[in-house]
Amino acid sequence: MKRKIVFLTGAGISQESGIPTFRDSIDGLWENNKVEDVATVSGVFSDINRSETFFNSLKQKISECSPNAAHIAIADLAKDSENFEVIVLTQNVDDLHRRSGTPVEKTIELHGNIFRNRCRSHPDISGTDFKEARGCSYTGAHYDENWKFPQACPRCHKPATFSPDVVLFGEALDFSALSDAEYHASTADLFIQIGTSMEVFPVAALIESVPISKRAYIDIEKPEKNGIYEYEFIGKAAEITPKVCNMIKEQKL
Ligand code: OAD
């Protein structure tokens, strides 16, 4: 019988790829920008030029980074589809799971993907084609210094609401992505949390449906609470994750 292995990843998994974690980056990532100017819907659309510069500089930094051994180990485990069903739930918008080879249909990007664009005029539409219905388009993980917010949504043709598909402060997560994530978390044989402070809801609540006996934890810091994970691995994601994936393959975990 196939084992279902669900990974929930946060900024810590990409730290060794050179992308600062959210908490470490308050100075670096946001540079001279106020969060309310570049990371809220009203801020983003109040000054398109400023937002283009901000998102372009993020895209430039991210496109210069590569998947590390943690992303690659997960993608390798996913290749063994005879024995495992691997699902990646990620809060990262950096595209590194996709670039490491984890199948797109097995990766749920709960906070979006900076290399995809999305129109915010459309109401949430559930279903498999919701991204297309919302006018989403994936531009590939490359940086183009001349990149501009798309001129118009291919679906509703409105110009000012089409921007990178990242969940901004105050915005709801995509309903369909969240309910798929809830389903996978609750049906996991093993749920492995990597490099996330679990401070941001609703993603942090996903673990609630996983029995403690099925929970594993990988992080450089010890968990804040004792006894809520069956397995704890303290260390850098890029060092620990390949070992954990080998343990899974060898049926030691
Ligand atoms: P955080 O920055 O809150 O937490 C990063 C976690 O990674 C911490 O627990 C660190 O101890 C750990 N960490 C750092 N370096 C590591 C390494 N090399 N190996 C393993 N662990 C490491 O990032 P997230 O939990 O991802 O949302 O933040 C969640 C969300 O908060 C983000 O997606 C973002 C933010 O609001 C949105 O933008 C919508």
Side-chain angles (χ1 to χ4, degrees):
M1 235 223 355
K2 263 193 205 192
R3 281 186 86 206
K4 182 165 182 171
I5 315 291
V6 176
F7 293 89
L8 171 63
T9 68
I13 196 172
S14 298
Q15 193 265 344
E16 288 148 278
S17 293
I19 301 174
T21 63
F22 186 72
R23 282 189 296 179
D24 291 343
S25 63
I26 294 299
D27 297 328
L29 196 63
W30 302 99
E31 291 175 348
N32 301 320
N33 295 291
K34 290 188 200 148
V35 170
E36 57 270 31
D37 285 345
V38 291
T40 63
V41 178
S42 55
V44 163
F45 293 108
S46 69
D47 185 340
I48 300 279
N49 287 341
R50 177 184 62 204
S51 302
E52 283 171 344
T53 305
F54 173 73
F55 280 105
N56 244 3
S57 105
L58 275 185
K59 285 176 161 197
Q60 181 180 19
K61 282 177 194 156
I62 294 173
S63 64
E64 287 163 1
C65 298
S66 302
N68 65 49
H71 301 101
I72 292 166
I74 294 171
D76 278 350
L77 190 68
K79 282 188 194 130
D80 185 357
S81 56
E82 256 181 47
N83 293 307
F84 304 107
E85 183 188 9
V86 170
I87 303 287
V88 175
L89 315 177
T90 188
Q91 296 165 92
N92 301 340
V93 300
D94 58 25
D95 206 43
L96 292 182
H97 284 295
R98 184 195 294 241
R99 284 172 59 199
S100 67
T102 302
V104 174
E105 65 279 11
K106 302 287 182 192
T107 308
I108 300 180
E109 295 163 325
L110 289 152
H111 289 171
N113 180 318
I114 197 167
F115 297 103
R116 195 168 55 221
N117 300 309
R118 170 162 65 91
C119 181
R120 287 177 165 77
S121 310
H122 304 148
D124 277 350
I125 300 163
S126 321
T128 49
D129 63 347
F130 74 96
K131 288 205 186 301
E132 196 186 328
R134 290 173 73 173
C136 283
S137 64
Y138 173 65
T139 55
H142 62 262
Y143 164 67
D144 169 5
E145 64 180 326
N146 297 316
W147 179 85
K148 300 268 177 217
F149 275 25
Q151 292 296 302
C153 168
R155 187 161 158 260
C156 69
H157 310 292
K158 289 188 187 164
T161 46
F162 204 50
S163 74
D165 180 14
V166 296
V167 174
L168 299 168
F169 285 98
E171 271 194 309
L173 268 61
D174 184 273
F175 175 77
S176 169
L178 186 60
S179 58
D180 285 353
E182 282 164 352
Y183 166 74
H184 289 303
S186 64
T187 52
D189 294 309
L190 184 63
F191 181 94
I192 307 176
Q193 173 189 321
I194 308 180
T196 168
S197 58
M198 295 293 256
E199 280 178 1
V200 175
F201 284 82
V203 172
L206 287 172
I207 198 166
E208 299 303 330
S209 61
V210 183
I212 290 179
S213 62
K214 295 181 178 176
R215 296 181 191 172
Y217 173 96
I218 301 175
D219 202 289
I220 49 169
E221 308 265 345
K222 285 190 168 182
E224 276 187 12
K225 288 188 198 152
N226 283 329
I228 62 163
Y229 299 95
E230 182 74 17
Y231 311 99
E232 289 178 12
F233 302 93
I234 309 304
K236 292 185 171 180
E239 283 167 25
I240 306 266
T241 310
K243 291 180 188 161
V244 166
C245 289
N246 280 337
M247 287 168 75
I248 294 169
K249 286 181 194 163
E250 291 164 7
Q251 300 182 355
K252 291 179 182 161
L253 186 69

